[in-house]
Amino acid sequence: MSNLQNIAQRAIDRAKTNGASAADAMIREDDTFSVTVRMGEVETLKEAISRSLMLRVFIGKRTATSHTSDLSPAVLDLLVDETVEMARLTSEDKSGGLPEEAIQRSGFPDLDLLDTSWETMTPDERISLALRTEAAALSADKAITNSEGASFEYARSRIALANTQGFNGSYEGTGAGLYCVPIAQSKAGMQRDHWMSAARHRNQLATPEEIGKRAAERALRRLGARKIPTCRVPVIFDPLSARSLLNHIFEAVSGSAIYRRSSFLVDQIGQPVASPNVTVVDDALMPAGLGSSPFDDEGVPTQTTAIIENGVLKNYLHSAYTARKLGSKPTGSGTRAASGAVTIGPTNFYLKAGSHKPDEILSSVTKGLYVVELIGFGVNTVSGDYSRGAVGLWIENGKLTHPVQEVTIAGNLREMLKNIEMIGDDVTFIGSIAAPTLKIGNMVISGA
């Protein structure tokens, strides 16, 4: 790791020597393995090590960014020299610059991000995980007749960051995911669905048999899907489909959307924006969390940020740039794009679990829709207007009765958040954004 830190330090030292008033350099090294299988045969198998240095240079309030995957001294020197020259040609932006030196520090917490036991797995053992997952799905029921495949992916990542204010830090983490997409068939046609598990530690990953069986169950219950008449009824989002609602909230509280005034949550700090039972946090300090890190991609210490607390909007998420734009403080949300530019990203952004079991939420609905998949991009986070194709199961007297397809659910995110009536205790993390089962009081369903 010290070698990556030395390379990053060398880049910013050269930028400073060439006239930069400030600079930072981040290096990401990923050691990856991935395998995809289908119908018991290996389709793709990849193992790779990739490195990328992302450089940001400031001359006063002028900024330029660049990146390279070649970390040899000659190429790096040329990149730094050209980036400094590029910065001289850009326009001034008074909000540009590194994070304030006072908020940077050392001595970061151990977030339990690394599990070296993954390294003891042979390639055959990793391939076996995908094969076992697909086999479990195919053997779950005779109606599971085909498969779009199963995959296993693993990465060990090393991050090093240095800047001209004296920050020089690094951390390392592992992560893996196991995914399966079986196809079920009946006289009415074919349906597919999926399930997956993702974790930083081996002992946190669900077994192949659990994943395969659950993926098969999800595909089987979609057989015989039909249309329903247009109606206004309660809608329950399962944890995977509810994640998309959290993604819209994340987009709406991003500092870049706020300073551009392109969010339905602009000027709403301190105001009730959701049901009182809704609390949303961005928690970068969650031990072993898939989105956890000790500092962000600008070197700002990460934190747990309350976004919505008991229905009231508390904070937006900021990089150093958006914080200056809006007179606020960085929240440790800076994320480095491949180009080297800093944007805003989620860490562990999730809606906190409620007290209800998923079956209890289902039992509360006389007639309604249980959504398991959302289709299309009909969401406007400026106005909050929401309209998406949906696949799900019809609820009758608290029971799932038959699958439903070719419907559109519509509403407005402002009203949807305020109409969240019940929250499940089943927050499901398969990435940086997560949610539990959610029940929204009523929405318009456009059907046949």
Side-chain angles (χ1 to χ4, degrees):
M1 187 67 83
S2 61
N3 184 46
L4 296 182
Q5 290 178 261
N6 292 339
I7 294 171
Q9 186 66 47
R10 183 174 181 279
I12 60 170
D13 287 346
R14 186 175 179 92
K16 194 80 174 178
T17 300
N18 283 1
S21 56
D24 63 5
M26 175 177 155
I27 300 177
R28 182 182 183 98
E29 181 180 81
D30 292 311
D31 184 349
T32 60
F33 176 96
S34 68
V35 58
T36 300
V37 303
R38 183 180 173 277
M39 301 306 287
E41 301 289 338
V42 175
E43 284 201 330
T44 64
L45 183 62
K46 293 188 289 186
E47 190 162 14
I49 296 177
S50 62
R51 297 186 183 92
S52 179
L53 181 144
M54 292 153 278
L55 177 66
R56 187 168 57 158
V57 168
F58 300 93
I59 295 181
K61 294 297 182 181
R62 303 174 189 274
T63 311
T65 61
S66 59
H67 68 101
T68 179
S69 58
D70 187 343
L71 304 189
S72 63
V75 171
L76 202 53
D77 287 351
L78 181 61
L79 180 85
V80 173
D81 296 349
E82 290 182 347
T83 308
V84 172
E85 290 307 309
M86 286 164 52
R88 299 184 199 281
L89 301 175
T90 61
S91 302
E92 288 192 349
D93 186 335
K94 64 180 182 181
S95 298
L98 295 176
E100 301 298 327
E101 189 172 358
I103 65 173
Q104 299 182 41
R105 61 176 171 80
S106 57
F108 295 101
D110 179 4
L111 298 176
D112 194 22
L113 306 180
L114 184 67
D115 180 1
T116 56
S117 71
W118 288 109
E119 306 294 333
T120 65
M121 292 187 74
T122 66
D124 282 346
E125 289 174 326
R126 295 176 180 185
I127 293 169
S128 174
L129 289 176
L131 289 169
R132 285 168 53 194
T133 304
E134 186 187 49
L138 290 170
S139 64
D141 191 284
K142 62 181 181 182
I144 303 293
T145 58
N146 202 345
S147 165
E148 289 189 3
S151 61
F152 170 77
E153 296 185 359
Y154 164 75
R156 179 168 180 167
S157 301
R158 302 168 184 87
I159 307 294
L161 176 69
N163 68 29
T164 51
Q165 294 173 335
F167 179 90
N168 194 329
S170 64
Y171 65 91
E172 191 172 5
T174 49
L178 195 53
Y179 181 82
C180 183
V181 191
I183 297 173
Q185 186 168 18
S186 69
K187 292 180 180 178
M190 293 188 289
Q191 294 285 348
R192 60 145 185 83
D193 209 325
H194 71 281
W195 191 248
M196 68 175 296
S197 176
R200 289 190 177 273
H201 293 257
R202 280 180 70 178
N203 61 10
Q204 295 172 331
L205 197 71
T207 68
E209 288 70 28
E210 290 171 336
I211 297 167
K213 181 181 178 183
R214 189 156 185 184
E217 290 172 348
R218 288 172 62 91
L220 288 166
R221 69 182 183 179
R222 291 173 63 158
L223 286 173
R226 65 183 87 158
K227 299 179 183 179
I228 57 172
T230 297
C231 55
R232 179 183 283 272
V233 293
V235 173
I236 298 175
F237 292 84
D238 79 347
L240 295 194
S241 57
R243 286 178 71 227
S244 72
L245 297 179
L246 268 293
N247 193 55
H248 301 320
I249 297 174
F250 163 72
E251 292 172 4
V253 300
S254 167
S256 55
I258 300 303
Y259 83 72
R260 293 185 177 108
R261 303 189 69 78
S262 59
S263 164
F264 73 97
L265 292 177
V266 71
D267 295 334
Q268 295 294 305
I269 292 291
Q271 300 297 314
V273 298
S275 168
N277 57 356
V278 171
T279 293
V280 176
V281 298
D282 186 61
D283 184 6
L285 303 178
M286 179 187 294
L290 292 169
S292 299
S293 65
F295 53 84
D296 74 357
D297 291 357
E298 296 185 287
V300 176
T302 53
Q303 61 186 40
T304 301
T305 305
I307 305 298
I308 297 173
E309 196 170 78
N310 299 323
V312 177
L313 184 64
K314 292 294 186 180
N315 290 290
Y316 301 127
L317 293 175
H318 290 296
S319 62
Y321 180 82
T322 63
R324 285 196 191 96
K325 275 278 190 188
L326 294 165
S328 187
K329 294 180 180 178
T331 53
S333 305
T335 299
R336 196 76 63 141
S339 64
V342 173
T343 60
I344 295 173
T347 60
N348 300 296
F349 189 94
Y350 68 103
L351 194 152
K352 285 195 170 183
S355 58
H356 300 286
K357 298 292 182 189
D359 286 347
E360 185 183 350
I361 298 176
L362 198 62
S363 299
S364 72
V365 175
T366 303
K367 288 187 178 181
L369 182 66
Y370 181 79
V371 176
V372 299
E373 183 179 357
L374 293 162
I375 302 165
F377 304 96
V379 181
N380 185 332
T381 53
V382 179
S383 65
D385 289 341
Y386 184 96
S387 177
R388 298 194 67 182
V391 175
L393 298 117
W394 186 247
I395 306 167
E396 199 83 35
N397 297 321
K399 304 290 184 185
L400 299 175
T401 57
H402 63 80
V404 173
Q405 64 181 7
E406 297 184 33
V407 297
T408 300
I409 55 175
N412 185 282
L413 289 169
R414 289 187 179 90
E415 298 304 317
M416 290 166 66
L417 293 176
K418 289 180 179 176
N419 284 330
I420 293 177
E421 294 183 348
M422 299 177 78
I423 299 173
D425 61 357
D426 54 344
V427 179
T428 304
F429 278 96
I430 56 171
S432 295
I433 294 180
T437 299
L438 298 178
K439 175 190 172 186
I440 294 181
N442 68 78
M443 293 184 70
V444 174
I445 300 174
S446 299

